[in-house]
Amino acid sequence: MNSRIPPHLEDRIAQTPRRGLPADLRQACLAMRGSAPRPTPPVRQHAFWLQWFWPHPAAWGGLAILWCTILALHRLAPVPVNVLAATGPSTPLIKDPDSTRQLAHQRETREELLRQPLPPLDFDRPRKASPPSTNRIA
Amino acid sequence: MHPLEQILDDHGDAVFSFLLQLSRSEPDARDLFQDLWRRLVENPQLLAEARDPRAFLLHLARNQFIDLTRRRNARTRAHEASQDQPDLAGLFEPAHRPDEDAFREALDRALGQLPEDQRMVVHLKLWEGLTFDAIAVLLDLSPNTAASRYRYGVDKLRTLLRPLYDEIRTP
């Protein structure tokens, strides 16, 4: 049926110039390239702690403020006496010279007494048998 | 020159022509081309991974066209397919010579009467010069299917164009 048609019809068709990209569409594409949003950086994976905190930021923030207040008050409060006593002998509590001298004397006396052997107590000696009392009422 | 501008210069005509061949509607071809270009602008590494940029772009264009036809109403497509004399798609540059312009117009209409799958293969073979193996990869076909679609398509074009072609060739 197609034997009369020369085989180069295909070449003839292929040589028919196609329409190219319209100039206005090309300009629109180039403009789109210029106005394209910059590629957004990849979203970083949130740290574990951030994921944990994130659901209730106000509650966690309030808790953090409360702890900061507690720490600040703790630092500003006066130091109690028993804490000062526990700090050791390097920080003398009594600064009056007379009292200091008196205390030193007492300390020496105490050490001197501790060095001396203690006399045997009375209840260690055997008790003498006492004669029966004549005053006893028969 | 910007790499994307280079791509537009190297492949823009081929991709637009392919889209025009598939859609047979200049507004559709323009929309599809802009959508495809937007994808490239927003995701430039798409092309960086392609071995053959032209084939890759034609593949993207074909997918864009398939998406469009799926979105379209089936009734509209049936109406278009039933037209005996399809409208001119404006596939070719005007020659400003009566005989040649008549041939181009007839070729345009004849291509419009081909089924879509044959038209794709004929276009890629005749105007892109691709082998049947390359066409098969691009359209997800077997090479034999691509070759047979081409044969059917060209036979139909011969039948439709024979009277005019004989007239042109007769001195």
Side-chain angles (χ1 to χ4, degrees):
Chain A
M1 175 173 123
N2 295 323
S3 58
R4 288 172 51 216
I5 303 300
H8 59 265
L9 174 64
E10 291 171 42
D11 297 333
R12 175 77 177 74
I13 292 172
Q15 285 165 9
T16 310
R18 306 171 292 177
R19 265 184 65 198
L21 187 67
D24 61 324
L25 182 57
R26 185 179 184 279
Q27 288 303 318
C29 288
L30 290 176
M32 196 191 302
R33 190 205 72 199
S35 64
R38 289 185 171 278
T40 52
V43 178
R44 282 189 356 197
Q45 188 69 27
H46 290 303
F48 168 74
W49 66 269
L50 200 54
Q51 287 181 350
W52 192 60
F53 269 90
W54 191 243
H56 308 289
W60 290 111
L63 199 59
I65 291 170
L66 183 65
W67 272 105
C68 287
T69 310
I70 290 170
L71 284 174
L73 289 174
H74 182 71
R75 282 193 170 268
L76 292 175
V79 182
V81 176
N82 56 354
V83 174
L84 289 174
T87 53
S90 59
T91 53
L93 297 179
I94 300 166
K95 298 189 176 168
D96 181 19
D98 289 339
S99 300
T100 308
R101 209 176 303 117
Q102 201 173 351
L103 273 173
H105 177 70
Q106 285 179 358
R107 196 177 293 124
E108 282 171 12
T109 307
R110 185 181 63 134
E111 286 173 1
E112 195 176 324
L113 286 170
L114 286 173
R115 277 198 295 271
Q116 289 176 3
L118 289 171
L121 295 174
D122 287 349
F123 53 77
D124 290 339
R125 283 180 290 185
R127 290 182 67 184
K128 288 179 183 175
S130 55
S133 174
T134 55
N135 297 335
R136 188 176 289 180
I137 299 168
Chain B
M1 185 184 280
H2 193 279
L4 281 174
E5 194 176 344
Q6 186 70 49
I7 286 163
L8 199 61
D9 287 346
D10 292 347
H11 310 297
D13 288 346
V15 174
F16 181 76
S17 171
F18 187 50
L19 286 169
L20 196 55
Q21 180 77 265
L22 295 181
S23 65
R24 296 193 59 76
S25 153
E26 184 168 342
D28 283 350
R30 283 171 171 267
D31 287 347
L32 289 168
F33 190 91
Q34 282 197 322
D35 287 347
L36 189 150
W37 184 253
R38 189 175 295 112
R39 281 182 68 186
L40 288 179
V41 168
E42 290 172 357
N43 203 358
Q45 70 267 20
L46 269 179
L47 265 179
E49 296 162 3
R51 240 183 347 184
D52 180 352
R54 170 73 64 94
F56 180 74
L57 288 171
L58 292 172
H59 186 76
L60 279 184
R62 177 236 182 193
N63 289 347
Q64 296 270 112
F65 172 71
I66 289 173
D67 288 346
L68 177 75
T69 52
R70 281 179 185 159
R71 286 198 300 270
R72 287 265 167 88
N73 190 326
R75 195 175 53 186
T76 309
R77 276 186 281 144
H79 170 71
E80 285 173 357
S82 69
Q83 288 180 306
D84 290 337
Q85 280 290 317
D87 292 337
L88 280 177
L91 295 174
F92 305 109
E93 294 287 351
H96 305 296
R97 281 180 287 129
D99 282 355
E100 183 60 26
D101 280 336
F103 177 76
R104 293 182 186 186
E105 200 171 299
L107 179 58
D108 194 329
R109 290 190 196 280
L111 284 163
Q113 292 185 50
L114 294 184
E116 195 178 286
D117 48 3
Q118 289 177 16
R119 203 161 67 230
M120 276 192 219
V121 176
V122 166
H123 181 95
L124 294 172
K125 181 70 180 165
L126 290 182
W127 281 285
E128 292 302 325
L130 298 181
T131 63
F132 288 126
D133 286 339
I135 292 171
V137 170
L138 202 150
L139 299 181
D140 301 323
L141 304 171
S142 73
N144 285 338
T145 306
S148 65
R149 284 182 184 179
Y150 176 74
R151 298 269 168 260
Y152 283 123
V154 167
D155 280 350
K156 189 162 186 180
L157 287 180
R158 277 182 180 148
T159 306
L160 292 168
L161 294 172
R162 186 173 57 191
L164 183 65
Y165 191 63
D166 281 348
E167 188 182 326
I168 291 172
R169 286 186 71 247
T170 306

